[in-house]
Amino acid sequence: MANGSQNGVSRMNSHPQYYLQDGNITFHVEGTLFRVHRHFFERESQFFIQEFAKTPQGGTSDTSAFRLDEVTAVDFTKFLWVWYSPSYRRGSLSEPKEHWLTILELSTKWQFLDMQKLAIDELEKLDIEPIEKITTYDKHKIDKLLLLPAYKLLCKRTTRITDEEGEKLKVPTLLRIFEARDRARSAAEGRHLTSADADKEWDRILIEVFELNSHATNQQGAQSQTKSDPNSKPNPNGNGAANGHKPSGSGSVSENLLLETVCRGAD
């Protein structure tokens, strides 16, 4: 949350790269002052438009700097890089995964939709482990259809889902992985499918089980509006099963037993 603050300015340092002489908005992040251009924030973020409206004079000087909580100075630097890096060229970027994950996190939090899309485009070019990709995209409510390759890799994997992986995925997603594997085995029985046909069958099953063709599931607060597959298992949190935000690994005894069963029996 952004708030005007005048406390402790004398003890703060100006950021060596992003305290710009021609900047017209100052942010206070972890004891560091960033002076940049208000235009970017007003052009791209409804969140900051509303925050600026609350305190019209906020950020106009170091003593009235907008304080940004729940973000580190290092991460805010990565965020500003998108606008200010002299080497920035869309389509020819080589920043590591962690860099883009940070940008995705902050652009989603502060409603920078264009920047969020850039982060997703760059993450799609990288080799990300299926479970990390699933949990990251679910957390930020990213287009679920982009997770089809990750779900396919995870469901076709020959090794068991470990307890640690199960804790990350949560019960609703595990149930659907179990269902997809079971349906794939049933579909293959007595049939001699080519590799291409088998791959198409996996796509069909995963799209149905995880409701990947439902655009409503990609909107915040719209999970409950999706049409459920009649063969799918009940979802404890009432949302799209791939999100799995509500249940936790420290839930009820029956939930923990189910988690253990799926981890060990879904292979």
Side-chain angles (χ1 to χ4, degrees):
M1 198 67 177
N3 298 291
S5 173
Q6 298 184 15
N7 298 326
V9 170
S10 61
R11 296 191 300 273
M12 290 190 288
N13 297 317
S14 300
H15 191 272
Q17 185 177 2
Y18 295 125
Y19 189 90
L20 308 177
Q21 293 302 315
D22 65 341
N24 58 356
I25 185 75
T26 304
F27 293 100
H28 167 200
V29 184
E30 279 194 329
T32 300
L33 292 176
F34 295 80
R35 188 161 185 80
V36 288
H37 296 96
R38 185 184 183 117
H39 166 73
F40 293 121
F41 295 85
E42 292 182 322
R43 182 187 68 185
E44 301 185 25
S45 170
Q46 189 64 35
F47 171 86
F48 277 101
I49 289 176
Q50 295 172 354
E51 289 300 312
F52 292 160
K54 294 176 183 178
T55 53
Q57 299 304 313
T60 56
S61 67
D62 291 356
T63 56
S64 64
F66 270 94
R67 184 185 181 94
L68 295 180
D69 299 318
E70 299 180 2
V71 60
T72 66
V74 170
D75 285 350
F76 194 54
T77 300
K78 293 177 182 177
F79 178 82
L80 295 174
W81 168 89
V82 173
W83 295 318
Y84 291 108
S85 173
S87 62
Y88 170 70
R89 294 290 185 277
R90 185 178 175 86
S92 62
L93 305 174
S94 60
E95 298 302 313
K97 176 187 67 176
E98 289 72 22
H99 183 95
W100 291 111
L101 289 174
T102 296
I103 293 174
L104 176 62
E105 175 85 26
L106 295 180
S107 64
T108 303
K109 175 186 177 70
W110 293 330
Q111 302 171 31
F112 286 86
L113 301 184
D114 287 343
M115 192 182 295
Q116 182 194 59
K117 185 180 184 303
L118 170 64
I120 294 169
D121 289 347
E122 293 303 318
L123 287 169
E124 284 295 295
K125 300 175 185 177
L126 304 177
D127 185 17
I128 303 176
E129 288 295 321
I131 291 177
E132 182 181 12
K133 187 170 185 177
I134 290 168
T135 55
T136 298
Y137 280 32
D138 284 345
K139 175 183 177 182
H140 299 301
K141 295 182 173 62
I142 305 304
D143 185 356
K144 291 172 64 176
L145 191 57
L146 295 175
L147 289 175
L148 179 58
Y151 283 128
K152 187 185 297 185
L153 285 172
L154 187 58
C155 288
K156 294 173 69 174
R157 198 180 75 178
T158 57
T159 56
R160 64 180 289 273
I161 297 175
T162 67
D163 295 338
E164 181 181 1
E165 290 173 333
E167 292 285 350
K168 293 178 180 178
L169 289 170
K170 307 299 174 65
V171 170
T173 302
L174 288 168
L175 284 172
R176 293 197 176 193
I177 291 172
F178 195 24
E179 179 184 350
R181 288 180 172 182
D182 187 57
R183 287 177 60 173
R185 283 194 293 265
S186 298
E189 288 180 359
R191 301 171 64 185
H192 299 285
L193 299 175
T194 65
S195 177
D197 287 340
D199 202 53
K200 290 180 181 178
E201 187 70 11
W202 266 113
D203 286 351
R204 182 188 66 79
I205 291 171
L206 291 169
I207 288 173
E208 289 181 3
V209 171
F210 288 97
E211 300 176 339
L212 302 183
N213 58 350
S214 176
H215 294 294
T217 60
N218 300 323
Q219 301 173 3
Q220 292 188 13
Q223 294 285 356
S224 60
Q225 299 175 12
T226 61
K227 181 178 180 181
S228 300
D229 184 85
N231 298 317
S232 65
K233 303 297 186 294
N235 178 10
N237 68 356
N239 293 332
N243 281 331
H245 294 305
K246 297 289 185 180
S248 66
S250 58
S252 65
V253 174
S254 60
E255 185 174 280
N256 288 332
L257 288 175
L258 178 59
L259 177 64
E260 182 178 354
T261 300
V262 174
C263 287
R264 298 183 184 281
D267 304 320

